[in-house]
Amino acid sequence: PLYTILGHYFCTAIHGLGASWALAANLWSALGAAAAVALYNALLVRLVPSGTVGRFQAFLLALLVTALLALNPIWLANSIQAEVYSWHASWVAAACLLARRLIRGIQRSERVETRGLATGALAWGVLSGLGLAHHLTSVLVLAPLTLALFVLLYRGGHWRGWVVPVVTGGAVLPLASYGFLYYRAHNPAAFQWPLLEPTFQSVIRVIRASDYAVLLGGFRPTPEQSRLLTSFVYPYLAAGLLLLAIVAARLRSHPLRAFLWSVLLAAVLQVFFVFNYGVIDPAAYFLTPLMLGFLAIPVAGASILGRLARPAAAIAVAVMIGVMGVLWVPTAIETRERCIK
């Protein structure tokens, strides 16, 4: 509902400036993609272990990993189509960014102040509600990260009974937007989702995505989707998840350990879901585990890049990004043209 409500105002404003409705809707997704790339880059910079490299090398490393996502043809295709996936990716990046900050704060403090704990719980609740009000697969990311936060609070002696009500209260705020579905069910727009009928049962069915339950239990991508997955998802996903597991296992008592293990679990849950969800175009659902798998690269690659001088590091990163652009962008343009046709 939030995607629709906020997107309506955005598209109305852009259309008022002279853009067609179709262009305005695609620009709404492009804005979500821009937000996702910015948040993801900010997360990557913060994952580079302090003291391993300088700020410039950390910037280059984060930029390289960001390019792995931002130039991927599947990401580019979904960044310029009127779909929910780019904004979901921005939420995933924001959730990881906040979780990383909260986990670090819990582990570094012998005593967490009540005000700070309440602020963090409320922020996590609001962000959780935003994810659940946008796409139900957000629960696959929320569950591991929330579990990690609660376990660390309990083990560190910071747990308070009022944390759960505060988190729940924060989540209720964005979740209240589901009331818009009930309103639209009884006050139809000129065009709206045909499965939404003017009954309370229909509203609940749409919220639960019950009509998609028939797709569970299979994996049936089209030949074109299979080609894209084989070329631009499977190799990077397998390498990313393996690297994430290795890095998390080697960190031991490092503050990043809990975060990376929870991220790995979230990625595995998402992969398991996609391989059991029989839509014909599942590529977009692999974006989340790709993003999460890539998070191991700043941790593992810092020492390697740190051995290079600034000019050499900059040239190496520029060459790798240039190669990705040359190889991947044309494929993304072709995918977009096929979608338009």
Side-chain angles (χ1 to χ4, degrees):
L2 285 177
Y3 173 86
T4 304
I5 295 170
L6 298 177
H8 166 75
Y9 290 115
F10 177 87
C11 292
T12 300
I14 297 299
H15 180 68
L17 296 175
S20 67
W21 287 112
L23 176 58
N26 284 280
L27 285 173
W28 176 232
S29 290
L31 180 62
V37 169
L39 289 167
Y40 191 57
N41 186 262
L43 172 64
L44 292 166
V45 169
R46 286 161 176 79
L47 289 179
V48 177
S50 58
T52 56
V53 295
R55 294 179 63 181
F56 182 72
Q57 282 89 345
F59 163 77
L60 288 176
L61 190 56
L63 183 64
L64 175 62
V65 182
T66 302
L68 277 173
L69 172 71
L71 295 176
N72 189 297
I74 294 175
W75 169 254
L76 285 176
N78 283 279
S79 298
I80 52 177
Q81 295 179 17
E83 265 289 6
V84 299
Y85 304 116
S86 65
W87 279 108
H88 180 63
S90 69
W91 176 85
V92 170
C96 290
L97 192 59
L98 179 59
R100 169 67 183 127
R101 179 177 180 180
L102 294 176
I103 289 174
R104 189 175 184 180
I106 294 170
Q107 292 181 320
R108 285 193 167 187
S109 303
E110 294 183 2
R111 180 174 178 273
V112 178
E113 297 293 335
T114 299
R115 182 176 179 181
L117 182 58
T119 302
L122 181 62
W124 187 249
V126 172
L127 195 62
S128 300
L130 286 171
L132 294 172
H134 182 73
H135 206 282
L136 289 182
T137 58
S138 60
V139 72
L140 302 174
V141 176
L142 274 176
L145 292 177
T146 302
L147 178 62
L149 286 167
F150 282 9
V151 168
L152 289 173
L153 281 174
Y154 181 79
R155 291 179 61 182
H158 310 305
W159 178 259
R160 302 292 182 272
W162 47 262
V163 168
V164 172
V166 171
V167 172
T168 304
V172 166
L173 296 174
L175 285 173
S177 62
Y178 275 117
F180 178 69
L181 295 182
Y182 185 82
Y183 170 80
R184 271 288 171 240
H186 294 83
N187 300 272
F191 175 82
Q192 65 184 37
W193 193 241
L195 298 178
L196 183 61
E197 300 171 351
T199 65
F200 181 75
Q201 291 76 12
S202 174
V203 173
I204 296 299
R205 189 170 65 249
V206 170
I207 292 175
R208 294 179 57 196
S210 300
D211 294 295
Y212 294 93
V214 296
L215 297 172
L216 295 175
F219 187 64
R220 294 177 285 272
T222 63
E224 171 62 19
Q225 283 276 301
S226 295
R227 184 187 68 81
L228 289 173
L229 292 173
T230 302
S231 300
F232 305 112
V233 171
Y234 295 152
Y236 306 98
L237 180 61
L241 295 184
L242 178 61
L243 182 62
L244 191 58
I246 293 173
V247 170
R250 293 187 63 183
L251 285 177
R252 298 189 179 181
S253 61
H254 196 279
L256 273 175
R257 178 181 171 87
F259 173 74
L260 292 181
W261 276 122
S262 59
V263 162
L264 177 61
L265 178 56
V268 170
L269 289 174
Q270 180 77 18
V271 170
F272 178 80
F273 165 76
V274 182
F275 278 121
N276 287 276
Y277 190 46
V279 291
I280 62 174
D281 54 346
Y285 290 94
F286 283 102
L287 291 174
T288 293
L290 270 180
M291 292 174 65
L292 299 179
F294 289 164
L295 294 182
I297 299 177
V299 184
S303 59
I304 298 175
L305 197 65
R307 296 171 186 172
L308 300 177
R310 276 195 174 195
I315 292 172
V317 170
V319 168
M320 286 186 279
I321 293 176
V323 170
M324 282 188 283
V326 170
L327 295 178
W328 288 359
V329 172
T331 302
I333 294 174
E334 292 175 8
T335 303
R336 176 179 179 274
E337 293 301 323
R338 283 195 296 270
C339 179
I340 293 174
K341 294 176 182 178

